[in-house]
Amino acid sequence: MSNIISFDSKVVPDNDLLVMSNGGTDVFINILALSGSVIARTESEKRLMVYLSEKDQIIGRGCVGFDIVEMPWDKETFEEDKKFIIQLINGARNKAGWERLDYSPNEELVSYYLDTFENMIKRMTVDDIRENSLNHWLSESEEDDPVYCGFPRCEKHNTFLTCFGCQICNS
């Protein structure tokens, strides 16, 4: 099975697709989590990190794809959050936090993933935000979800925890 990150799957055809194997998805999310956890400062940046880290294969292999337009963007902080996502992509390119992994990612494959993801993020505008995506995502969160508990971190990897625990520990 595989996972697909698309710009907007409701637009047919959506030529902006990132198709990854389950293992590739784990690596991709792991390196984003490591990079973003270092630089996330605002609540909206931390929410975006938890959202991305929730794309954990623990919920089902091949079931963690998503649309860029459905990420929990906040229209009021969109421009800053978009810059943050570009920064975390660049951090992942520069191997921020990779020393905490117990494997060495395939740099050529990771470069392709990051380039494709970055192109979709750069394409994103505030007008593309899927209405109520932030509220919908938050409404699905439990009271003890990390987004409501101060954004705790994994002691081993220093990444933001999700309702599933640590993305990297679960890999």
Side-chain angles (χ1 to χ4, degrees):
M1 293 199 71
S2 62
N3 298 290
I4 299 172
I5 298 174
S6 59
F7 183 78
D8 185 351
S9 63
K10 293 185 179 180
V11 173
V12 179
D14 185 353
N15 295 326
D16 282 334
L17 296 175
L18 177 54
V19 180
M20 299 176 284
S21 67
N22 292 322
T25 304
D26 274 340
V27 171
F28 179 68
I29 298 300
N30 286 348
I31 64 172
L32 291 179
L34 287 165
S35 173
S37 291
V38 172
I39 62 171
R41 298 287 178 255
T42 67
E43 185 169 325
S44 61
E45 291 169 353
K46 292 174 184 177
R47 277 194 314 256
L48 285 165
M49 289 314 308
V50 171
Y51 175 85
L52 289 171
S53 295
E54 282 181 351
K55 304 309 170 191
D56 194 326
Q57 298 292 323
I58 199 168
I59 65 169
R61 307 212 43 86
C63 298
V64 295
F66 61 95
D67 288 350
I68 300 298
V69 298
E70 290 183 337
M71 289 173 60
W73 300 104
D74 184 331
K75 287 186 177 192
E76 292 182 24
T77 60
F78 173 74
E79 291 302 327
E80 294 83 13
D81 294 340
K82 182 176 174 179
K83 288 176 190 172
F84 164 75
I85 297 289
I86 299 297
Q87 282 182 303
L88 82 89
I89 292 168
N90 287 327
R93 267 195 196 98
N94 293 323
K95 303 179 184 178
W98 285 24
E99 70 279 357
R100 286 180 259 156
L101 296 171
D102 60 0
Y103 61 90
S104 296
N106 177 323
E107 293 181 41
E108 187 177 325
L109 201 52
V110 162
S111 180
Y112 169 75
Y113 293 162
L114 293 171
D115 289 348
T116 305
F117 187 62
E118 181 178 35
N119 289 338
M120 286 190 275
I121 295 297
K122 284 181 174 178
R123 175 181 164 194
M124 183 75 184
T125 69
V126 71
D127 294 331
D128 293 318
I129 295 173
R130 182 78 38 82
E131 200 63 38
N132 294 319
S133 57
L134 172 61
N135 292 334
H136 177 72
W137 178 66
L138 289 173
S139 72
E140 291 181 339
S141 301
E142 300 290 324
E143 205 173 280
D144 60 347
D145 193 285
V147 296
Y148 295 123
C149 298
F151 301 99
R153 295 175 181 259
C154 172
E155 290 181 22
K156 181 177 180 182
H157 298 107
N158 196 37
T159 56
F160 293 105
L161 296 176
T162 73
C163 56
F164 310 115
C166 172
Q167 157 66 25
I168 299 171
C169 290
N170 290 340
S171 293

